[in-house]
C-alpha cells in the first residue's frame, strides 16, 4: 500500500480534515520539511516543524523619570515677608530669584527652593524615561546641563539671606530643631513598624525556607525529567539551502541517536549535523540511515563514549488519559520539559517526510503535552521515565509558508513499538523495510465509511488473501477503519510477516499475511 488514489470529488474544496494541520484548497504551499497537500483531496497532514527562531532580547516597560522641580513656598512671619518684598523685588539678581511664577504669589529665594534629584535645572523630567534592558541617555533640554541623581546643581549665584534679628533667628532655629526631632521620631517609628516591628506579619523578616534535599517523588514529572533529560540531545542541522534544529535521544553509549527523518533529511546531501548534549558538550554526527515513510532516522555522534542511554518502553499498552512527558528543544530552547496526557490512540496522521503524501501516514499517539517546532524527534515518556513515542507533528491552524504555528494542545508521536523496529533495521542494515498490504486505497464513497480498494498489486499480500478491487475494508482486527489513511496507518503499525484479519463490507472476513518492501529514498 503505497498510494492514495482517492477521488478529488469526494471532498468539498477547502474542507479541513479532522486529522490535518492546515486548511485545504487555497492554503499556501508548505515549506520543505512540513507536511504537504493531499493531491487528490486538497488536504494536508499535520504541520510539523523542527526548528524555531532564536529567542530575542526583551525589554521591560518604560519607566518615566521620577521627580519634579515645582518650588514649595514656606510661610514666614508677616514682618519678614514685608522686609523681603521691599528689599528684594521680583527679578532682583541679588536674590537669585525670578519673576513671580504664580499669579498673586511672591517668588521664593533660591536658598529656600527645594531641589529634586531628578529635576533638570528647574524643569520637570517628563516626556520620556528609561527602558529597562536598554541604554537610554537622560533627556537634555536646550541650553541646559543634565542633572544627575547624585550631584547637586550649582547655583549661578548664591542667594543672599534676608536680614533678621538675632532673637528671631534663635526662635526659628529652636523651632526647626523641635520640628525636626518630632519628624525624625515619627519617621523612625513608621519605618520600624513597616519593617515588622509592629504586630502585623511581615514576610521579609521570615528566614528563607529550607533547601530541597529529598529525592523527587516517584512517578512525578520532576522524577521523569531527572531520569530522561541526560539522554536527550539537540540536533542542529545545516543543509545546502536550509538550517534548523530538532531533538533526538541516545540509544547507545557510543553515540547512536534516534530522531525524526524530517529533522535530518536536510543534511542528507552534504549538510552538517551538530549534536548538543545536556551538559553543553557538542559533537559532529553522521546519518546512519533514515526512513521517510515512518519518519524515523538514526544518526551517530562522532568520538563520544559512555553516554547516558534512554530506556525504551512500549506503546501497545498505552491508555487514554494516562500521564506523559514531552522533552525537546522547542524554538531551540534545549532541555524543555512539558507534561500532559495521552489524548487519543491510533490517530492516522500525515507526518510529512519528503513529500507529505500518504507514504508518511503514521498510527500516531495524540497528546496534549505542549509540543512546538523543535520538539520533533524528541521523546514522549511515560511516568516511569520510559520512552513510548517520538514527537513528530502538531496540529497548527495558524502555520503557513511564512509563519510557524505553535502548540494548541494537539500533538502527535510515533509509537515506540513501530519506531523501535525501524531503528533496529537501520542500525543493523542501514535501511528500513516498509510493511505493505499490496493494494492502493482511497476513501470510501461519500456517505459511507471505510477504505476502498482501488487497485490490487499482482502477487502481493492482498491478492494472496483474496482482496479484490472495489472491496471496502471497514475493520482491521478490533479496530474500525474510517478512511484510507486509517487503513494505511493500521497496516504500518504491524511488522512484515504479521497475520491480520480484515472485515470487508459488513461481515466478510479476509485473512492476510502482510508483506514488506525496502524503503526507497529519493
Amino acid at each position: 500500500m503505497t498510494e492514495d488514489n482517492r477521488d478529488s470529488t469526494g471532498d468539498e474544496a477547502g474542507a479541513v480534515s479532522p486529522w490535518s494541520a492546515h486548511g485545504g484548497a487555497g492554503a499556501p504551499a508548505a515549506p520543505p520539511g512540513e507536511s504537504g497537500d493531499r493531491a487528490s483531496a486538497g488536504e494536508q497532514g499535520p504541520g510539523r516543524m523542527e526548528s524555531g527562531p532564536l529567542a530575542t532580547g526583551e525589554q521591560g516597560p518604560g519607566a518615566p523619570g521620577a521627580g519634579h522641580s515645582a518650588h514649595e513656598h514656606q510661610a514666614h512671619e508677616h514682618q519678614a515677608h514685608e522686609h523681603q518684598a521691599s528689599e528684594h523685588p521680583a527679578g532682583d539678581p541679588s536674590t537669585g530669584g525670578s519673576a513671580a511664577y504664580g499669579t498673586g504669589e511672591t517668588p521664593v529665594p533660591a536658598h529656600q527652593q527645594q531641589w529634586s534629584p531628578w529635576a533638570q535645572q528647574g524643569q520637570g523630567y517628563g516626556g520620556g524615561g528609561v527602558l529597562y534592558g536598554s541604554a537610554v541617555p537622560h533627556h537634555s533640554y536646550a541650553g541646559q546641563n543634565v542633572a544627575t541623581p547624585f550631584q547637586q546643581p550649582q547655583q549661578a549665584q548664591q542667594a543672599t539671606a534676608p536680614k533678621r534679628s538675632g532673637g528671631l533667628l534663635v526662635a526659628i532655629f529652636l523651632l526647626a530643631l523641635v520640628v525636626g526631632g518630632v519628624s525624625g521620631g515619627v519617621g523612625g517609628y513608621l519605618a520600624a513598624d513597616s519593617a515588622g516591628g509592629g504586630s502585623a506579619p511581615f514576610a521579609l523578616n521570615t528566614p528563607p525556607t529550607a533547601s530541597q534535599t529529598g529525592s523527587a517523588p516517584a512517578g512525578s514529572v520532576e522524577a521523569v525529567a531527572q531520569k530522561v533529560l541526560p539522554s536527550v540531545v539537540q540536533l542542529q542541522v545545516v543543509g545546502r539551502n536550509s538550517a534548523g534544529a530538532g531533538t533526538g535521544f541516545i540509544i547507545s553509549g557510543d553515540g547512536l541517536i534516534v530522531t525524526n527523518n524530517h529533522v535530518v533529511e536536510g543534511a542528507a546531501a552534504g549538510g552538517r549535523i551538530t549534536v548538543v548534549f545536556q551538559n553543553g558538550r557538542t559533537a559532529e554526527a553522521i546519518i546512519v540511515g533514515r526512513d521517510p515513510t515512518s519518519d524515523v532516522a538514526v544518526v551517530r555522534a562522532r568520538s563520544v563514549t559512555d553516554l547516558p542511554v534512554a530506556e525504551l518502553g512500549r506503546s501497545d499498552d498505552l491508555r487514554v488519559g494516562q500521564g506523559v512527558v514531552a522533552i525537546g528543544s522547542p524554538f531551540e530552547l534545549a532541555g524543555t520539559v512539558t507534561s500532559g496526557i495521552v489524548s487519543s490512540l491510533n490517530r492516522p496522521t500525515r507526518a510529512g517526510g519528503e513529500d507529505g503524501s500518504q507514504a508518511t501516514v503514521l498510527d500516531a499517539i495524540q497528546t496534549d503535552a505542549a509540543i512546538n517546532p523543535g520538539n520533533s524527534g524528541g521523546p514522549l515518556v511515560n511516568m516511569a521515565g520510559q520512552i513510548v513515542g517520538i514527537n513528530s507533528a502538531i496540529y497548527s491552524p495558524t502555520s503557513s509558508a511564512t509563519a510557524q504555528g505553535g502548540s494548541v494542545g494537539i500533538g502527535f508521536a510515533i509509537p515506540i513499538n513501530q519506531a523501535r523496529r525501524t531503528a533496529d533495521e537501520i542500525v543493523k542494515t542501514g535501511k528500513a523495510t516498509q510493511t505493505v498490504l499490496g493494494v492502493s486505497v482511497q476513501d470510501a464513497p461519500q456517505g459511507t465509511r471505510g477504505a476502498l480498494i482501488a487497485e490490487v498489486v499482482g502477487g502481493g499480500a492482498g491478492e494472496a488473501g483474496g482482496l479484490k478491487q472495489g472491496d471496502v475494508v471497514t475493520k482491521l482486527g478490533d479496530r474500525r477503519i474510517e478512511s484510507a489513511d486509517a487503513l494505511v496507518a493500521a497496516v504500518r503499525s504491524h511488522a512484515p510477516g504479521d497475520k491480520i484479519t480484515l472485515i470487508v463490507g459488513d461481515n466478510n472476513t479476509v485473512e492476510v499475511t502482510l508483506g514488506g518492501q525496502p524503503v526507497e529514498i529519493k
Side-chain angles (χ1 to χ4, degrees), residues 232-518:
V232 179
V233 301
Q234 183 186 58
L235 298 176
Q236 299 174 351
V237 181
V238 178
R240 290 183 176 179
N241 302 310
S242 63
T247 308
F249 54 90
I250 302 167
I251 60 170
S252 75
D254 58 353
L256 287 175
I257 297 167
V258 174
T259 186
N260 282 143
N261 171 70
H262 73 255
V263 170
V264 299
E265 66 181 347
R272 185 178 73 253
I273 302 173
T274 302
V275 180
V276 183
F277 299 96
Q278 285 296 316
N279 61 7
R281 293 173 53 200
T282 62
E284 296 300 307
I286 59 172
I287 297 176
V288 176
R290 58 193 185 92
D291 177 14
T293 66
S294 67
D295 200 20
V296 173
V298 178
V299 302
R300 181 186 290 278
R302 295 178 180 270
S303 304
V304 293
T305 57
D306 300 325
L307 298 177
V309 177
E311 180 182 356
L312 304 184
R314 58 188 302 166
S315 52
D316 57 351
D317 64 351
L318 289 174
R319 296 184 296 273
V320 173
Q322 78 174 77
V324 286
V325 172
I327 303 178
S329 305
F331 298 105
E332 300 192 17
L333 301 173
T336 295
V337 177
T338 57
S339 65
I341 62 169
V342 173
S343 302
S344 184
L345 295 167
N346 305 320
R347 187 72 83 188
T349 304
R350 295 193 177 203
E354 293 177 332
D355 56 9
S357 69
Q358 194 182 57
T360 59
V361 173
L362 307 176
D363 195 35
I365 303 165
Q366 182 181 327
T367 179
D368 68 346
I371 297 173
N372 285 287
N375 272 105
S376 287
L380 186 70
V381 188
N382 63 21
M383 302 313 292
Q386 302 164 335
I387 297 177
V388 296
I390 303 176
N391 300 317
S392 183
I394 60 174
Y395 175 80
S396 184
T398 59
S399 62
S400 68
T402 58
Q404 290 183 330
S407 173
V408 293
I410 304 176
F412 303 98
I414 305 167
I416 196 62
N417 285 20
Q418 180 180 346
R420 183 174 191 159
R421 175 178 62 81
T422 301
D424 187 53
E425 287 183 344
I426 290 174
V427 170
K428 290 177 179 178
T429 68
K431 297 181 179 180
T433 302
Q434 182 183 39
T435 305
V436 295
L437 181 58
V439 299
S440 61
V441 296
Q442 62 187 44
D443 288 344
Q446 190 171 4
T448 61
R449 65 179 181 86
L452 174 67
I453 305 298
E455 182 183 356
V456 178
V457 178
E463 184 183 58
L467 290 175
K468 297 179 177 59
Q469 184 177 1
D471 284 346
V472 176
V473 178
T474 57
K475 211 168 186 181
L476 190 157
D478 295 331
R479 179 172 170 180
R480 290 194 310 170
I481 302 300
E482 303 284 351
S483 64
D485 278 4
L487 179 58
V488 174
V491 168
R492 293 203 178 137
S493 67
H494 290 79
D498 285 354
K499 293 182 179 181
I500 61 171
T501 300
L502 300 175
I503 302 298
V504 177
D506 293 331
N507 51 19
N508 295 329
T509 301
V510 176
E511 300 286 341
V512 177
T513 299
L514 295 172
Q517 65 184 21

Side-chain angles (χ1 to χ4, degrees), residues 99-261:
Y101 57 86
T103 304
E105 296 181 1
T106 303
V108 178
H111 73 284
Q112 295 177 1
Q113 298 174 10
Q114 295 185 2
W115 179 81
S116 166
W118 303 104
Q120 306 249 359
Q121 292 291 347
Q123 300 217 24
Y125 187 56
V130 176
L131 292 177
Y132 295 103
S134 64
V136 179
H138 288 293
H139 286 259
S140 178
Y141 297 91
Q144 296 179 355
N145 296 322
V146 177
T148 68
F150 311 109
Q151 178 180 355
Q152 295 291 336
Q154 296 180 354
Q155 297 293 340
Q157 202 168 359
Q158 181 64 38
T160 303
K163 297 179 181 179
R164 303 179 185 274
S165 64
L168 181 58
L169 288 175
V170 172
I172 293 176
F173 179 72
L174 292 176
L175 178 62
L177 287 178
V178 173
V179 172
V182 172
S183 298
V186 172
Y189 170 77
L190 291 176
D193 185 64
S194 65
S199 59
F202 189 58
L204 295 180
N205 276 352
T206 60
T209 57
S211 300
Q212 299 185 65
T213 56
S215 301
S220 66
V221 175
E222 180 184 0
V224 171
Q226 289 178 358
K227 177 180 179 179
V228 182
L229 269 172
S231 63
V232 179
V233 301
Q234 183 186 58
L235 298 176
Q236 299 174 351
V237 181
V238 178
R240 290 183 176 179
N241 302 310
S242 63
T247 308
F249 54 90
I250 302 167
I251 60 170
S252 75
D254 58 353
L256 287 175
I257 297 167
V258 174
T259 186
N260 282 143
N261 171 70

